[in-house]
Amino acid sequence: MFGIDDPFIWLAYLASILSALGCLVYGAYHWRGGDEEQTVKSSVKKKVTQDQ
Amino acid sequence: MAVSISILILFLIVYLGATFYVAYLGYRKNSQTEGYMLAGRGVHPAVMALSYGAAFISTSAIIGFGGMAASLGMGLLWLVFMNIFFGIFIAFVVFGPRTRRMGLNLGAITYPEFIGKRFQSKFIQAFSGLLIGVFMPLYASSVIIGAGRFLETTLGLNYNIALIIFTIIIASYVIKGGLLSVMYVDAMQAVLMLFGMGFLLIYTYSMLGGVTGAHQALTDMANLVPPALAAQGHQGWTSMPSFGSPIWWTMVSTIIMGVGIGVLAQPQLAVRFMTVKDDRSLKRAVAVGGPFLLMMVGVAYAIGALSNVYFYKTMGIISLQAVPDGNTDLIMPAFLNHAMPEMFVMLFMLCLLSAAMSTAAAQFHTMGTAIGYDVYQQTIMKGKSKATVHVTKIGIAFTILAAVILAYILPGSIIARATAMFMGLCTSAFLPLFIGALFWKRTTKAGATASLVIGSLSSLFWLVFVHAKEAVPLKICMAIFGKETLLAGTWPLVDPILIATPLSLIALVAVSLMTPQLSPEFLKKVFRFRFEDEDEENSEKVSSNATDSAGV
């Protein structure tokens, strides 16, 4: 694969790229979902305060 | 390097102007101790990730390890994966949030203070502060030497003057501006590094016939491996070294395990988790950090290995034959000079200078705060001195001076090993303890102390008496026992991290299980979850409470 015969090398090549892409997707997901998460946390906090 | 000096000087002036302007922006926002030490705990995730990455990647990661990939091959790509997976994903998603929250709960502003307060131990704070303050200048000296040599070869400056100029430039904004200035400058430099490495990647692959074509050409060169390397296990640049061979051990134990996992316990990196305002910022930072590391180390190692194809196609030789005495540190500069357009070589020089400056700045700030704040102000003065920032500035100046002196007096062979030595030492001394602090409530003060002491001492022992790469040039083993290393066979090839870290971990678990747990009230306070918007108001209260309970 990719002109590399040894699977341990092309696996490393692929793993490096996929892990970086995975980081990108993970971070982007939390970037977009940020406001939603914040709203949920704020409402939970509000409830906790009311309970007290 | 054969580039137009006048244009390069113009580039440098613009670059330094931008550096100081960005540092000034950071300085303007700093007003208090937390600002100076932790950048005010409100840094943008992208700035944090770029700063983390730029501090992580030094010139040696690009030039030194790129050259090593030219010599040993693409097996080094496993290190790229390790760097991204452990150094970014695990660090930011698993370690980061707990470090940030616990740091706030404890009111800690430095790494030694964090682990010290976590285990209510002034000894842990002082010992780790000393460990950082004493050994990090060695690591920093290797970075400033690299930068000095780089300025010497590019600008034709006298080496001694180059080293001093480089140090003064960084010291000025680190001392004056604190961590926020450092992080802003890091981020700017990281962007420049991204451009440099991006161009290098695209240009090299297109020049060598595309991704598959370039790799295939390298695969076809396996028969050109020098006999001396083949005898040590080298099987070609697109193959792993043969299992258990000396090159395999070097690659797997030192490089992949040592530098790959070691990053989790680096104080200058871990402290950055405490600079962002919430957990979400850390998760967001992953999006920037992962691709940034791929573009740095991934590109450097792939291109380093592929330089063999370039030299073979153009000169009929492999990379090791293209440089004097087969010095791997010279392969990447030689490749850049031969293969790249002149304007790019100049841009790349600024990229390398950025890598060196950002790493050195992070080191200067961390070792200075360790000595000035953790050792002097908190331990010797028992927290009585109020001038925290002032004392820390003196600490930074003092440790920078130590790094410069070391750079002049220590032999090159020791300095060259300093990065791996420091990373190994940090891993063995801090990693088990740090994991215990964050994830295992049963960890006790005695267990943490034992882990710290055993991890650091056993790592130092292995470095000085067994691991050939340090033991032989240090000559201490020879002076005491009359032989280069205490053990023979494969042992001198095994990195200290593989011996000292398990010992440190065993000490942590065994001693913790034998000693009484920290009080449940304290643990509840340390591990409690915080809502982001409560941070500021609670920080002050927690800080004073934690100070009362520390030093027990």
Side-chain angles (χ1 to χ4, degrees):
Chain A
M1 192 184 268
F2 312 122
I4 299 167
D5 297 338
D6 188 342
F8 281 105
I9 302 292
W10 64 251
L11 210 59
Y13 195 90
L14 202 62
S16 303
I17 294 171
L18 289 180
S19 57
L21 281 177
C23 284
L24 190 67
V25 171
Y26 180 88
Y29 173 77
H30 284 279
W31 215 295
R32 283 181 46 223
D35 294 336
E36 207 173 298
E37 203 175 324
Q38 177 65 45
T39 315
V40 172
K41 278 185 181 168
S42 298
S43 63
V44 171
K45 185 201 162 193
K46 207 171 168 185
K47 189 174 182 315
V48 170
T49 317
Q50 281 169 354
D51 290 348
Q52 284 170 347
Chain B
M1 289 186 189
V3 293
S4 166
I5 293 296
S6 53
I7 298 177
L8 183 58
I9 289 175
L10 188 71
F11 270 33
L12 262 179
I13 291 170
V14 173
Y15 170 75
L16 287 178
T19 300
F20 280 113
Y21 176 69
V22 171
Y24 172 71
L25 291 180
Y27 166 70
R28 263 200 334 196
K29 285 193 175 181
N30 271 345
S31 54
Q32 294 160 342
T33 307
E34 276 208 343
Y36 191 84
M37 313 286 257
L38 276 182
R41 299 194 200 252
V43 175
H44 190 275
V47 172
M48 196 285 277
L50 289 173
S51 165
Y52 180 98
F56 184 5
I57 303 301
S58 64
T59 315
S60 80
I62 297 170
I63 295 293
F65 280 37
M68 205 181 272
S71 163
L72 303 182
M74 286 190 169
L76 276 180
L77 286 172
W78 281 113
L79 180 56
V80 179
F81 170 69
M82 297 285 280
N83 281 159
I84 296 171
F85 186 71
F86 286 100
I88 298 291
F89 190 77
I90 297 291
F92 284 25
V93 176
V94 181
F95 282 63
R98 283 194 181 225
T99 310
R100 189 195 70 79
R101 264 181 262 141
M102 228 177 246
L104 265 172
N105 290 342
L106 292 164
I109 53 175
T110 64
Y111 186 80
E113 188 178 41
F114 174 84
I115 52 176
K117 282 188 168 174
R118 167 65 182 85
F119 294 110
Q120 302 183 320
S121 165
K122 281 280 177 193
F123 172 80
I124 289 180
Q125 182 175 1
F127 189 91
S128 40
L130 262 182
L131 209 61
I132 294 166
V134 171
F135 290 99
M136 201 183 247
L138 189 65
Y139 175 24
S141 65
S142 74
V143 176
I144 58 178
I145 284 178
R149 292 279 175 223
F150 167 75
L151 291 172
E152 182 189 29
T153 48
T154 49
L155 295 179
L157 278 175
N158 173 286
Y159 167 70
N160 294 325
I161 294 173
L163 198 145
I164 297 291
I165 290 176
F166 176 80
T167 309
I168 288 174
I169 288 172
I170 301 171
S172 60
Y173 70 80
V174 176
I175 293 175
K176 189 75 185 162
L179 191 57
L180 196 57
S181 284
V182 170
M183 291 179 80
Y184 277 11
V185 174
D186 283 353
M188 182 202 85
Q189 292 168 333
V191 172
L192 189 67
M193 288 158 75
L194 273 174
F195 274 112
M197 298 306 278
F199 184 89
L200 181 66
L201 175 78
I202 295 166
Y203 193 89
T204 307
Y205 269 121
S206 55
M207 179 174 60
L208 298 178
V211 175
T212 307
H215 292 165
Q216 191 60 54
L218 190 61
T219 303
D220 296 340
M221 287 173 64
N223 59 328
L224 296 171
V225 172
L229 284 178
Q232 290 185 58
H234 200 314
Q235 303 191 96
W237 289 274
T238 56
S239 299
M240 282 298 280
S242 56
F243 183 77
S245 63
I247 292 183
W248 187 89
W249 271 109
T250 304
M251 197 179 269
V252 174
S253 82
T254 305
I255 301 167
I256 296 175
M257 299 306 287
V259 189
I261 297 177
V263 66
L264 288 173
Q266 294 294 304
Q268 75 277 23
L269 299 180
V271 80
R272 278 163 169 68
F273 300 143
M274 296 197 269
T275 63
V276 293
K277 78 172 169 33
D278 52 30
D279 291 356
R280 254 181 308 127
S281 298
L282 287 164
K283 289 175 181 169
R284 289 172 170 180
V286 170
V288 179
F292 179 77
L293 274 206
L294 178 71
M295 287 305 291
M296 295 299 117
V297 281
V299 172
Y301 302 167
I303 301 305
L306 288 171
S307 67
N308 284 290
V309 179
Y310 173 79
F311 283 118
Y312 187 65
K313 277 186 173 174
T314 54
M315 298 157 76
I317 52 176
I318 62 167
S319 300
L320 278 171
Q321 294 162 336
V323 290
D325 306 322
N327 183 347
T328 54
D329 285 345
L330 300 176
I331 292 176
M332 289 298 275
F335 172 67
L336 290 164
N337 273 329
H338 280 97
M340 296 291 144
E342 189 180 355
M343 283 301 278
F344 174 74
V345 177
M346 284 189 272
L347 173 70
F348 203 77
M349 282 174 182
L350 294 184
C351 167
L352 292 178
L353 194 60
S354 296
M357 282 177 78
S358 50
T359 305
Q363 292 167 333
F364 288 178
H365 188 268
T366 306
M367 64 197 194
T369 52
I371 288 294
Y373 180 75
D374 294 300
V375 175
Y376 180 76
Q377 209 238 15
Q378 291 293 305
T379 308
I380 298 173
M381 298 299 290
K382 301 195 186 308
K384 283 175 196 157
S385 166
K386 294 287 176 200
T388 300
V389 173
H390 185 63
V391 170
T392 304
K393 285 180 177 176
I394 296 172
I396 295 175
F398 176 76
T399 45
I400 290 174
L401 192 66
V404 173
I405 293 170
L406 281 175
Y408 281 116
I409 61 172
L410 282 178
S413 51
I414 292 297
I415 292 290
R417 299 291 307 152
T419 303
M421 277 166 73
F422 184 78
M423 289 226 170
L425 183 62
C426 274
T427 308
S428 309
F430 296 132
L431 187 59
L433 163 68
F434 193 40
I435 293 172
L438 296 179
F439 304 106
W440 194 38
K441 289 183 182 176
R442 188 66 185 79
T443 314
T444 65
K445 179 177 168 180
T449 308
S451 169
L452 177 65
V453 173
I454 288 173
S456 41
L457 293 185
S458 57
S459 178
L460 287 172
F461 175 82
W462 201 263
L463 280 169
V464 174
F465 295 107
V466 183
H467 196 228
K469 281 190 176 159
E470 289 83 25
V472 174
L474 276 172
K475 296 190 175 78
I476 297 172
C477 188
M478 178 59 91
I480 299 174
F481 299 104
K483 47 185 175 183
E484 287 188 322
T485 56
L486 275 185
L487 300 175
T490 312
W491 290 114
L493 296 172
V494 179
D495 196 88
I497 195 174
L498 293 180
I499 304 295
T501 311
L503 284 178
S504 173
L505 185 64
I506 292 167
L508 181 94
V509 176
V511 178
S512 290
L513 291 176
M514 287 187 290
T515 47
Q517 199 174 349
L518 290 162
S519 78
E521 295 78 31
F522 175 75
L523 288 175
K524 197 176 166 190
K525 189 171 75 183
V526 171
F527 279 86
R528 82 193 157 98
F529 184 80
R530 317 172 59 96
F531 291 107
E532 290 80 355
D533 43 1
E534 285 183 334
D535 289 351
E536 286 307 314
E537 58 189 85
N538 283 352
S539 174
E540 288 301 312
K541 291 179 202 163
V542 173
S543 178
S544 57
N545 289 346
T547 310
D548 295 343
S549 58
V552 173

